[in-house]
Amino acid sequence: MSSHKEIKKVTTHTLLQLKTQGSPISMITAYDYSFARLFDTAGVDAILVGDSASNVMAGHETTLPITLDQMIYHAQCVVRGVHRSLVVVDLPFGSYQSNPDIAVASSIRIMKETGGHAIKLEGGEEVIDSIRRIVSAGIPVMGHLGLTPQSIYKFGTYTVRAKEEAEAEKLKRDALLLQEAGCFALALEKIPAQLAGTVSRSLNIPTIGIGAGPECDGQVLVMHDMLGINNEFKPRFLRQYLDLENQVTSAVQTYIRDVKSRNFPNQQESY
Ligand code: KIV
């Protein structure tokens, strides 16, 4: 008999069950082993290896520059820290838009090389053939509608999407299409709360919102935002649970003072 306590892993089916039970799903982004380990141990349902890595890890202005190889590296690190949570990996810009064959090949690389459990990609009707192909290759797909940062140069701004009737109607149609194509969940980013509620109620699959109000079936936040690593980014939808920018700065300043004053290391800290 194994001495290890059995870990109940979160699967795409678990997320569906949580929706059915009316129990909200928690998701957070991670990009490395150490934070993924903490989030998994804390009990988060799902971890997203987001292409927001392009911004928060690499310092780019947009998500466009990050490559498939770089996403694979981040996902490999995250997966090593996770025992229980579902790990979803973003397909980066350029790795799926050109045609379904490329989309399937990119998704297969992610599944094979990282050990992640699912992929996420942005868009509705425009990428529906790719989603069907990826799903039929046995790979779980999470959709992403509303503000889709890979299309930032088309939108021109990061403001709330689908406030106008026509865009809201397209989003509702796209959500149903994504469900029919076999997506197991749908991220809704920065859209009116009422629209997100309507979409969530119209679907059997769970919606996971970011800036999409309380009626989504779950919520996702970028770890750097919710931990307050960069206090310059404070959108209305963000709840900041820590102020790491100030805490880390002050801890490192204390360390510098201790080194400069020869207060560190002391005798107990020496061999
Ligand atoms: O890349 C990311 O972090 C995301 C979330 C904002 C949903 O896609």
Side-chain angles (χ1 to χ4, degrees):
M1 210 171 78
S2 160
S3 61
H4 287 290
K5 220 172 124 198
E6 190 74 19
I7 296 170
K8 189 134 179 40
K9 287 181 186 282
V10 179
T11 67
T12 56
H13 298 283
T14 318
L15 300 194
L16 197 60
Q17 275 171 355
L18 287 171
K19 170 161 179 142
T20 311
Q21 294 160 6
S23 175
I25 297 161
S26 58
M27 187 180 212
I28 187 170
T29 68
Y31 317 94
D32 71 352
Y33 164 80
S34 298
F35 276 108
R37 191 180 70 82
L38 295 181
F39 301 158
D40 182 66
T41 306
V44 76
D45 295 314
I47 291 180
L48 173 65
V49 187
D51 61 352
S52 47
S54 182
N55 309 106
V56 296
M57 299 303 288
H60 292 297
E61 234 172 72
T62 73
T63 57
L64 275 68
I66 199 159
T67 65
L68 182 58
D69 284 339
Q70 288 165 340
M71 286 303 298
I72 286 173
Y73 168 75
H74 285 296
Q76 287 169 336
C77 299
V78 165
V79 166
R80 280 183 219 120
V82 171
H83 296 291
R84 182 188 156 277
S85 309
L86 181 83
V87 178
V88 182
V89 184
D90 262 341
L91 283 185
F93 178 69
S95 72
Y96 63 98
Q97 287 91 346
S98 11
N99 70 54
D101 286 340
I102 290 177
V104 178
S106 301
S107 306
I108 288 175
R109 274 202 66 197
I110 286 185
M111 300 302 284
K112 223 177 168 60
E113 296 178 38
T114 74
H117 309 126
I119 63 97
K120 173 165 87 57
L121 52 73
E122 296 180 4
E125 197 182 358
E126 321 74 45
V127 288
I128 211 72
D129 291 338
S130 295
I131 292 177
R132 287 200 189 98
R133 288 279 310 282
I134 299 168
V135 171
S136 63
I139 300 171
V141 177
M142 180 169 177
H144 183 155
L145 296 174
L147 176 64
T148 47
Q150 292 178 13
S151 306
I152 184 58
Y153 291 115
K154 184 171 110 189
F155 296 144
T157 76
Y158 286 103
T159 50
V160 180
R161 304 301 314 173
K163 288 211 291 205
E164 308 300 329
E165 177 82 14
E167 195 179 338
E169 287 306 316
K170 173 170 165 35
L171 191 143
K172 287 190 233 172
R173 280 196 309 275
D174 280 345
L176 287 170
L177 271 178
L178 291 178
Q179 172 171 272
E180 278 161 30
C183 286
F184 72 90
L186 174 57
L188 293 175
E189 181 165 356
K190 245 182 158 180
I191 60 169
Q194 210 182 8
L195 173 62
T198 306
V199 170
S200 303
R201 285 186 295 276
S202 76
L203 299 177
N204 299 319
I205 58 171
T207 59
I208 313 238
I210 174 163
E215 292 182 47
C216 293
D217 302 302
Q219 299 292 329
V220 56
L221 283 177
V222 170
M223 58 159 280
H224 289 65
D225 302 343
M226 63 92 76
L227 298 178
I229 290 177
N230 177 2
N231 279 337
E232 275 170 25
F233 186 68
K234 284 200 176 169
R236 173 188 170 129
F237 69 76
L238 176 64
R239 187 174 296 178
Q240 208 178 296
Y241 288 85
L242 276 179
D243 179 8
L244 278 190
E245 173 157 345
N246 284 319
Q247 287 172 281
V248 170
T249 305
S250 138
V252 173
Q253 284 170 340
T254 307
Y255 165 70
I256 295 167
R257 267 202 308 277
D258 287 351
V259 170
K260 299 277 183 197
S261 65
R262 298 190 186 280
N263 172 288
F264 175 80
N266 63 24
Q267 241 176 6
Q268 285 76 46
E269 290 156 340
S270 306
Y271 298 98

